Amino acid sequence: MFKIGVLVSGGGTNLQAIIDKIEDGTLKDIEIVAVVSNVADVYALERAKKHNIENIFINRKEFSSPEEYDAELARYFKEKQVDLVALAGFMRILGAEFIKEFENKIINIHPALIPAFSGKGYYGLKVHEAALERGVKITGATVHFVTLGADEGPIIMQKAVEVKHGDTPEVLQKRVMEEAEWQIYPEAIKLIAEGKIDTLVVG
Ligand code: GRF
């Protein structure tokens, strides 16, 4: 079994997309062994619960520093023997120690075509606001490895989505999720689990 740990902070629709593809057999021999949130009572934890997946809120306030917090995340995922850490709407920047510890084993989904609308400050609706403000006609989503620079790691998969006249950030966000994010995140995980992504090649 290829074991995934998922980090969340919110609604968890990307987590749900992964769960669905495991349950319908598209993702074979892949298991989510833990879902960890840094925010209490988020719906993503509820989704995990509904599917009998171990889920836990780890509170930053209980740790004296960001490094201590990351160390606890690393300890927990190591105990669970995860092969891959998938960030799914996780709203914290992971520190260097954690990233080193899980080198080439952390992935993220970003709701734009990197390098557009990515990096520091580009998260959530802000990404779509920026895309609309710039007037791009095509946006999309990107799955990438997590390295030290925000959104700068090797790109694993991208999918384009049309921007339509009259789109609001919310409408565009929903289209990007439906047409790109929920499709390419499980697909990328499948390729990684099957050993088909060579980090040296994609880098
Ligand atoms: C998604 O737009 C994802 O691209 C970004 O954060 C959002 C998370 O949504 N990183 P959800 O919690 O998976 O519904």
Side-chain angles (χ1 to χ4, degrees), residues 75-200:
R75 191 203 60 74
Y76 182 68
F77 282 144
K78 274 198 286 182
E79 180 188 300
K80 295 279 147 204
Q81 300 185 311
V82 303
D83 298 298
L84 184 72
V85 175
L87 312 190
F90 186 58
M91 301 297 274
R92 265 187 72 81
I93 301 284
L94 292 164
E97 280 304 313
F98 186 95
I99 291 173
K100 230 188 284 162
E101 185 97 46
F102 291 92
E103 201 178 8
N104 293 329
K105 288 185 180 165
I106 314 169
I107 58 172
N108 181 44
I109 176 104
H110 182 75
L113 295 174
I114 290 175
F117 314 117
S118 63
K120 205 163 178 277
Y122 287 104
Y123 59 88
L125 272 181
K126 287 182 196 289
V127 177
H128 304 290
E129 280 163 10
L132 290 175
E133 206 164 286
R134 184 62 186 86
V136 293
K137 306 304 174 211
I138 299 283
T139 183
T142 304
V143 181
H144 64 94
F145 284 106
V146 173
T147 55
L148 271 180
D151 298 330
E152 284 176 7
I155 291 171
I156 301 166
M157 199 172 265
Q158 292 188 301
K159 186 155 189 265
V161 173
E162 200 185 336
V163 179
K164 293 187 179 164
H165 186 71
D167 272 352
T168 62
E170 290 80 6
V171 167
L172 184 57
Q173 178 180 52
K174 186 162 178 283
R175 189 178 313 115
V176 168
M177 283 180 157
E178 286 173 353
E179 293 183 10
E181 295 185 42
W182 301 341
Q183 296 179 22
I184 64 172
Y185 214 16
E187 270 176 50
I189 288 171
K190 186 170 189 284
L191 291 178
I192 292 168
E194 290 171 350
K196 291 183 179 156
I197 301 292
D198 182 343
T199 51
L200 295 173

Side-chain angles (χ1 to χ4, degrees), residues 6 12 16 19 25 27 31 36 49 60 63 86 106 180 191 198:
V6 183
Q16 188 68 52
I19 294 173
L27 299 185
E31 185 189 359
V36 178
K49 233 173 269 170
R60 167 67 183 88
F63 298 86
I106 314 169
L191 291 178
D198 182 343

Side-chain angles (χ1 to χ4, degrees), residues 16-81:
Q16 188 68 52
I18 301 165
I19 294 173
D20 291 347
K21 294 294 180 194
I22 290 174
E23 293 189 349
D24 76 9
T26 310
L27 299 185
K28 284 190 198 69
D29 302 322
I30 294 177
E31 185 189 359
I32 299 175
V33 290
V35 173
V36 178
S37 175
N38 67 326
V39 182
D41 301 324
V42 289
Y43 193 60
L45 290 175
E46 208 47 52
R47 292 179 194 270
K49 233 173 269 170
K50 281 189 186 155
H51 293 267
N52 295 317
I53 298 168
E54 186 168 313
N55 59 90
I56 179 174
F57 160 51
I58 303 183
N59 190 350
R60 167 67 183 88
K61 294 202 176 100
E62 286 171 16
F63 298 86
S64 53
S65 67
E67 291 77 19
E68 292 288 317
Y69 185 80
D70 282 2
E72 174 57 18
L73 290 184
R75 191 203 60 74
Y76 182 68
F77 282 144
K78 274 198 286 182
E79 180 188 300
K80 295 279 147 204
Q81 300 185 311

